[in-house]
């Protein structure tokens, strides 16, 4: 280890008796080293796959905030552009998604919001318009458009408490900018389509589903004014290349 420090011309550990703690240089090396090792393992696996003549499989992970159909819509340009490539979609919770991308088991992660990270590369694939889903018998269900100020006093369904999810913080922030402190309830059904939340919570949910009846007419989706847009953020391993990923990153826009 001392020779390694000499080669780098940097002190990596602070030695105190028999104990060792990382210096700032050591912490930097640990972070970058983990990223580089993950990329090296991914490249080695792809080389082995190519040498063996196996068909390429591109794995897309997405959080519950993006439905399976929304994730497919984001990836469809690459699916059409690479007919020889197989695609697999996996739903993962936010705390699992970054780890799966970092260890290479997921080639591209998709999540809501814009969350900076030093370990992964990120980009915004596009923006989606946020709408409201509510029980079919709700007082606002007959409206084609609902102003966000009219949500004051209503319960809002979330999939994670504020402070633990960027998306939850984003939604709560939109309410606060409208001048009211939102009352919220965390859905007890995790991993299901976000538009289903009103059925088990009786609350209004922010969704990106198209307006109209949903869940066999038991839920109504209405437009929200003023318009609120939320990003779809892509995450991938740094120091790796992918033609499939490049095709996706060249796309953009909103729905």
């Amino acid at each position: 280890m001392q020779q390694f420090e000499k080669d780098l011309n940097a002190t990596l550990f602070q030695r105190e008796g028999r104990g060792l703690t990382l210096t700032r240089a050591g912490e930097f090396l640990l972070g970058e080293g983990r990223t580089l090792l993950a990329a090296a393992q991914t490249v080695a696996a792809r080389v082995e796959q190519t040498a063996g003549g196996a068909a390429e499989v591109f794995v897309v992970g997405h959080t519950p905030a993006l439905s399976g159909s929304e994730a497919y819509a984001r990836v469809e340009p690459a699916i059409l552009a690479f007919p020889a490539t197989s695609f697999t979609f996996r739903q993962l919770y936010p705390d699992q998604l970054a780890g799966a991308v970092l260890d290479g088991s997921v080639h591209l992660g998709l999540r809501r919001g814009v969350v900076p990270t030093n370990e992964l590369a990120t980009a915004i694939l596009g923006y989606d318009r946020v709408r409201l889903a509510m029980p079919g018998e709700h007082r606002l269900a007959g409206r084609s458009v609902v102003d966000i100020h009219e949500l004051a006093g209503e319960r809002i369904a979330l999939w994670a408490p504020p402070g633990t999810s960027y998306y939850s913080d984003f939604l709560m922030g939109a309410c606060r900018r409208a001048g009211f402190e939102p009352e919220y309830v965390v859905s007890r059904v995790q991993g299901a389509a976000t538009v289903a939340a009103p059925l088990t919570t009786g609350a209004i949910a922010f969704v990106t589903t198209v307006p109209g009846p949903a869940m066999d007419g038991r839920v109504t989706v209405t437009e929200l004014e003023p318009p609120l847009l939320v990003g779809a953020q892509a995450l991938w391993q740094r120091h790796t290349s992918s033609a499939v990923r490049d095709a996706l990153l060249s796309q953009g826009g909103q729905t």
Side-chain angles (χ1 to χ4, degrees):
M1 185 57 66
Q2 290 178 338
Q3 182 59 48
F4 189 38
E5 289 182 314
K6 184 177 180 181
D7 292 341
L8 293 175
N9 194 28
T11 300
L12 303 177
F13 297 96
Q14 183 70 39
R15 296 166 175 83
E16 299 178 356
R18 294 185 177 181
L20 293 175
T21 58
L22 287 172
T23 64
R24 289 184 61 188
E27 291 175 350
F28 177 80
L29 178 62
L30 178 63
E32 285 295 303
R34 184 183 295 116
T35 302
L36 288 169
L37 285 173
Q41 291 171 352
T42 296
V43 171
R46 289 180 61 188
V47 169
E48 181 180 2
Q49 181 186 62
T50 301
E56 182 179 4
V57 178
F58 193 82
V59 181
V60 179
H62 62 95
T63 63
L66 285 95
S67 68
S69 59
E70 289 175 322
Y72 180 90
R74 290 295 178 193
V75 180
E76 188 174 22
I79 294 175
L80 297 177
F82 293 87
T85 299
S86 296
F87 290 80
T88 298
F89 288 81
R90 294 174 55 193
Q91 186 185 83
L92 298 167
Y93 291 114
D95 59 341
Q96 301 170 322
L97 182 63
V101 174
L102 186 60
D103 69 22
S105 58
V106 166
H107 300 129
L108 188 81
L110 298 176
R111 66 184 178 189
R112 287 297 181 199
V114 182
V115 185
T117 171
N118 292 326
E119 290 187 320
L120 300 172
T122 65
I124 300 298
L125 290 186
Y127 291 87
D128 296 294
R129 183 161 179 168
V130 177
R131 301 179 176 95
L132 301 175
M134 61 195 73
E137 67 277 8
H138 193 278
R139 66 180 182 87
L140 298 174
R143 305 269 296 278
S144 59
V145 178
V146 174
D147 190 282
I148 193 170
H149 297 87
E150 297 179 82
L151 300 183
E154 296 285 348
R155 286 198 312 162
I156 305 299
L158 300 178
W159 289 265
T164 64
S165 163
Y166 174 90
Y167 192 37
S168 293
D169 293 341
F170 171 81
L171 297 174
M172 296 298 94
C175 294
R176 292 177 181 126
R177 287 191 298 274
F180 66 94
E181 183 63 28
E183 178 186 353
Y184 70 87
V185 58
V186 177
S187 176
R188 63 184 177 87
V189 180
Q190 296 289 312
T194 55
V195 74
L199 297 178
T200 53
T201 63
I204 292 178
F206 288 99
V207 300
T208 50
T209 310
V210 296
M215 305 303 295
D216 296 324
R218 292 178 293 163
V219 173
T220 298
V221 179
T222 67
E223 294 286 7
L224 175 67
E225 291 290 347
L228 179 64
L229 300 178
V230 63
Q233 185 183 37
L235 308 93
W236 66 94
Q237 276 187 343
R238 293 164 53 194
H239 312 299
T240 61
S241 62
S242 167
V244 174
R245 187 177 68 221
D246 290 344
L248 292 174
L249 297 179
S250 67
Q251 304 297 314
Q254 68 182 62
T255 60

